[in-house]
Amino acid sequence: MLWLRADEGLASAGRREAAALARRLGLADSRAADLALAVTEAAANLLRHADDGALALRIAAFGDQSAVELLALDSGPGIPDVGAVLRDGSSAAGTPGGGLGAIRRVADFFALHTLPGRGTCLYARFTAQPAGMAEPGSAAQLSGLTRPISGETQCGDTWAVREEPVAEGAAHLLVMMCDGLGHGPLAARAADEARTAFRTSRATEPAAILADIHAGLKGTRGAAVAVARVDPPARRVSLCGVGNIAAFVLGAQSRQALTSTPGIVGHNIGRPQTFSAALPPGDALVLHSDGLNSRWQPAQFPGLTGQTPAVIAAQLLWQAGTRRDDAGVVVVKAPR
Ligand SMILES: [Mn+2]
């Protein structure tokens, strides 16, 4: 993920990075122009109305499709009447949210979550083959986001996912959240090793996968790691974590924590325990590092669970982020 802080050069820097991603993805010229328009409108909106904000851009995979994802996150007044700004398909007007209707018009997928007095999260997706994006694959039900502490380009927080086929029914999802100790290149190296160990582990239970990651992190500075296994048909999640990774089952008005045990993966993991919880349809499993303040409450985020996982992850990262550490969050939504 490429993060651009809102300042005077935001629109031009955003367009430059968007153009590079569009080339990498092979977007047609007309779609690249649509993406540039979206970046321009989002940047204008941030600079005019937000107290603080950022654009984030990346290429993400959705099944066998890939898309450029654009996030615009801000601390600001929020948008008083979302319906009105989205009906207005015109370019940036004088009110918060002006120009967002234009972004919705050109994006293949668009989502917006706004908190009055606190800020707005905008998410838009641009794909090479729009027709294929209509298929709601399992990939669309999961998204993660990391942001390095300011001043660093490498991030010690990372997430990963793999599917675990089962004999009958829907595959289980295995999800990892890792916070490499400290920040900078050495934290990023621990994160890389954790991702590799997670991907190459042949274990299928969270505790056994965590043991493989522990072995893989020997010789690094270590990390906090949690591994979750989501079983969609059974509507359950089990999780094994060591160190400070927060894990919650998030409902519209509820938040149930899944605890981790103390230790440092790669050094000393003690005796990890696996905890299990119900994951009702429409609820979300949220794992995040201590770069987010874990005291956030669902009541502070009305309507968030109804959003797509990328918006849930982004809004939590922005609104609960401490800015004093690398931040990472991954969200899995249980199918309805
Ligand atoms: Mn941390």
Side-chain angles (χ1 to χ4, degrees):
M1 196 103 221
L2 182 95
W3 289 87
L4 299 166
R5 199 71 186 252
D7 60 28
E8 304 236 320
L10 182 66
S12 56
R15 279 193 298 267
R16 192 164 55 241
E17 299 297 346
L21 293 180
R23 268 197 305 278
R24 232 172 78 200
L25 188 61
L27 284 190
D29 287 352
S30 65
R31 293 305 283 148
D34 288 342
L35 172 61
L37 169 95
V39 168
T40 302
E41 295 289 356
N45 200 61
L46 285 186
L47 292 177
R48 275 184 204 159
H49 304 293
D51 305 322
D52 183 24
L55 293 183
L57 286 156
R58 73 172 162 196
I59 292 176
F62 297 86
D64 53 5
Q65 291 274 322
S66 292
V68 175
E69 289 185 307
L70 166 67
L71 279 165
L73 296 160
D74 72 62
S75 305
I79 300 169
D81 188 346
V82 171
V85 297
L86 293 184
R87 275 193 301 277
D88 171 19
S90 63
S91 181
T95 52
L100 302 192
I103 302 175
R104 184 173 70 159
R105 185 164 47 75
V106 295
D108 295 310
F109 182 88
F110 175 91
L112 188 74
H113 186 255
T114 188
L115 295 165
R118 290 165 58 209
T120 299
C121 167
L122 173 152
Y123 172 70
R125 208 148 72 197
F126 297 81
T127 178
Q129 295 125 315
M133 294 295 284
E135 307 288 328
S138 69
Q141 292 307 307
L142 176 140
S143 187
L145 193 60
T146 61
R147 186 187 195 194
I149 188 171
S150 56
E152 291 285 355
T153 49
Q154 291 181 281
C155 191
D157 286 4
T158 192
W159 61 277
V161 59
R162 62 181 166 93
E163 282 196 355
E164 181 63 30
V166 290
E168 279 174 40
H172 294 187
L173 273 184
L174 293 164
V175 188
M176 177 195 74
M177 183 75 228
C178 166
D179 175 355
L181 257 59
H183 46 80
L186 290 178
R189 204 202 125 212
D192 278 347
E193 296 291 346
R195 213 163 34 234
T196 300
F198 173 81
R199 284 191 180 139
T200 56
S201 170
R202 298 175 74 175
T204 58
E205 291 306 317
I209 297 168
L210 193 76
D212 286 343
I213 297 171
H214 177 53
L217 286 185
K218 295 244 156 66
T220 73
R221 61 162 62 174
V225 179
V227 176
R229 181 180 174 114
V230 177
D231 177 348
R235 294 173 173 166
R236 287 203 74 78
V237 53
S238 56
L239 178 135
C240 184
V242 168
N244 201 359
I245 300 289
F248 303 104
V249 172
L250 175 65
Q253 276 145 46
S254 61
R255 192 186 86 154
Q256 187 193 348
L258 288 146
T259 20
S260 289
T261 51
I264 298 172
V265 179
H267 294 257
N268 172 22
I269 57 172
R271 306 185 63 175
Q273 282 181 269
T274 301
F275 296 95
S276 170
L279 184 62
D283 280 16
L285 172 70
V286 178
L287 309 182
H288 69 72
S289 73
D290 64 357
L292 279 70
N293 184 325
S294 62
R295 287 192 298 264
W296 60 269
Q297 288 298 327
Q300 297 164 337
F301 295 91
L304 191 60
T305 48
Q307 291 280 348
T308 195
V311 171
I312 300 174
Q315 194 67 299
L316 286 174
L317 183 138
W318 187 262
Q319 294 287 338
T322 67
R323 321 282 151 94
R324 294 186 298 273
D325 196 357
D326 295 336
V329 52
V330 59
V331 173
V332 183
K333 244 179 116 166
R336 285 226 169 254

